[in-house]
Amino acid sequence: MQCDRLWKDARLATMAGDGLGLVEDGVIAATGGRIVHAGPAADAPRFEAAEVIACDGRWITPGLIDCHTHLVHAGDRAHEFELRLAGASYEEIARAGGGIASTVTATRAASEAALISSALPRLDALIAEGATTVEVKSGYGLSVESEMRMLRAARALGDTRPVRIATTFLGAHALPPEYAGDADGYVDLVCDEMLPAAAAAGLIDAVDAFCEGIGFTTGQTARVFAAARRLGLPVKLHAEQLSNLHGARLAAQAGALSADHLEYLDEDGIAAMAAAGTIATLLPGAYYFTRETKLPPIAGLRAAGVPIALATDCNPGTSPLTSLLLTMNMAATLFRMTVEECLLGVTRHAGTALGLSREAGMLAPGLSCDLAIWDVERPAELVYRIGANPLHARVFKGR
């Protein structure tokens, strides 16, 4: 059987089937950038490959997936970090004109080229640790033109680097200053102008909103979801990060791909997510960086069978994190998640959270040949080590 490339003498964590899908003596074959075989060498057809790569017993996982980032933005918020260290809360800083609003000011003033240039080092850090798919949200422009500019910059990242970029429209992220006191009027702009324009330009893969006391109500969020549905776009939601507004239940009722953060998620929300198949995306970097003390309900999510994804939430204010390896360690140490849960959280479940379960997140025939090849003795090392990067090689679409 002919194939383009063959990786042999490898140990695989396929993330397919039960658990991590471990294979001690495995091979992966790819043709046209797609996997045609991933499994035990003993079960593989006899391949005639144009190129054979000997892995010398190294572990191969699917390329990692960061399913929640705010990678494109201008400026930083290091001063706000100092304020938080002095005792100010995230909500206090936001209500005083800091937080998202300060990043909006900087992002609106930045050109598309400047946004791309500032995002590339953050993207390169993720790629250097084996990421092959990265979600990027808008939400720091909050006007038709600047939201479009952010989304174009995000798309351009995928043309500049060998990585899959999934773009998410987050116009309902915060209230811009010109709409102070008129949240409903701003939601009109999001639904009637921003979202249709970005969708018509082909810049949106999914639609998100920030459902929170300092963000938008469930009623306003439902309007954004309805506008997305009219355009045939999937939705996801920032929910239950600072309080319980029952956003996760709303998201599940809308068939959301994921509900993210979830520190204040209750049993009702968990049940709704389980029934809808909505992924729980946890963001330990934000939990750590904001010194949150309310743990997400891991036991309840497990008991209900809700799949858990993990992501960096890379953003300038609450999670300036560009490492999925560190994200996994934080999830294990802070949330007491298992090695298996952490690894599935940045591969299979993260892919599902982006609607890409048939494209990425597993080593299985038909999926994109996105691989991370590691110099480790066991997969647990990817979660256990802090500040180490054991990536040996990264493969995107078979190359």
Side-chain angles (χ1 to χ4, degrees):
M1 183 176 178
Q2 295 290 326
C3 68
D4 295 339
R5 303 184 85 185
L6 181 73
W7 290 264
K8 67 174 188 175
D9 302 327
R11 291 179 284 179
L12 312 180
T14 66
M15 309 299 166
D18 294 331
L20 299 181
L22 302 182
V23 177
E24 278 296 326
D25 180 16
V27 298
I28 297 174
T31 295
R34 298 259 162 200
I35 295 172
V36 296
H37 178 85
D43 298 340
R46 184 178 180 86
F47 284 106
E48 296 292 335
E51 183 180 3
V52 177
I53 301 95
C55 296
D56 300 323
R58 294 184 175 89
W59 280 95
I60 303 180
T61 69
L64 305 188
I65 299 173
D66 197 347
C67 63
H68 182 132
T69 86
H70 304 256
L71 207 68
V72 170
H73 63 263
D76 65 64
R77 303 210 313 249
H79 177 57
E80 294 178 16
F81 178 59
E82 293 182 283
L83 292 176
R84 280 203 301 276
L85 291 176
S89 72
Y90 177 64
E91 290 190 58
E92 288 170 342
I93 292 169
R95 294 190 188 281
I100 293 169
S102 65
T103 300
V104 170
T105 300
T107 301
R108 284 181 169 183
S111 67
E112 185 175 326
L115 290 174
I116 295 167
S117 178
S118 66
L120 280 173
R122 296 186 281 271
L123 178 61
D124 287 342
L126 291 167
I127 288 173
E129 288 189 352
T132 51
T133 301
V134 177
E135 185 255 21
V136 181
K137 302 179 191 295
S138 67
Y140 291 128
L142 309 185
S143 69
V144 176
E145 188 278 330
S146 52
E147 286 290 296
M148 295 275 281
R149 190 186 329 133
M150 285 191 71
L151 290 165
R152 287 194 302 269
R155 285 278 199 244
L157 295 175
D159 297 327
T160 307
R161 295 290 189 269
V163 65
R164 182 180 296 100
I165 298 292
T167 53
T168 298
F169 172 78
L170 182 57
H173 194 196
L175 202 59
E178 62 269 25
Y179 277 88
D182 186 17
D184 285 329
Y186 178 65
V187 173
D188 287 341
L189 179 71
V190 168
C191 296
D192 299 339
E193 297 185 43
M194 277 190 199
L195 216 171
L203 294 173
I204 306 176
D205 295 317
V207 175
D208 198 349
F210 184 33
C211 184
E212 191 52 76
I214 59 172
F216 296 90
T217 67
T218 52
Q220 291 159 349
T221 300
R223 290 175 57 201
V224 174
F225 283 178
R229 185 166 55 249
R230 288 193 294 271
L231 294 166
L233 293 167
V235 298
K236 51 179 53 201
L237 189 64
H238 287 62
E240 274 75 270
Q241 179 184 11
L242 305 172
S243 62
N244 183 13
L245 296 187
H246 306 290
R249 181 178 63 190
L250 174 69
Q253 291 169 344
L257 294 170
S258 71
D260 303 18
H261 284 291
L262 303 178
E263 282 85 344
Y264 288 82
L265 179 66
D266 62 13
E267 292 183 3
D268 183 50
I270 292 172
M273 291 177 65
T278 297
I279 299 290
T281 298
L282 304 185
L283 307 169
Y287 177 94
Y288 164 85
F289 196 75
T290 61
R291 296 190 291 181
E292 178 60 73
T293 57
K294 175 74 170 174
L295 285 164
I298 301 292
L301 292 167
R302 282 179 185 144
V306 177
I308 299 173
L310 296 172
T312 63
D313 191 20
C314 176
N315 76 76
T318 60
S319 187
L321 173 62
T322 54
S323 170
L324 281 171
L325 295 177
L326 182 54
T327 296
M328 287 193 288
N329 181 270
M330 286 180 171
T333 55
L334 299 175
F335 297 167
R336 310 309 296 167
M337 289 176 63
T338 67
V339 166
E340 180 177 303
E341 288 171 332
C342 290
L343 288 168
L344 287 169
V346 297
T347 53
R348 187 171 87 200
H349 297 328
T352 304
L354 295 179
L356 294 173
S357 59
R358 297 184 179 180
E359 181 69 17
M362 295 184 290
L363 305 179
L367 273 67
S368 180
C369 186
D370 302 342
L371 315 178
I373 305 174
W374 307 96
D375 279 318
V376 295
E377 284 302 314
R378 55 186 56 81
E381 287 185 51
L382 301 177
V383 180
Y384 152 74
R385 297 193 183 278
I386 301 173
N389 179 9
L391 187 72
H392 172 75
R394 174 185 172 277
V395 177
F396 178 61
K397 295 184 177 181
R399 298 173 65 87

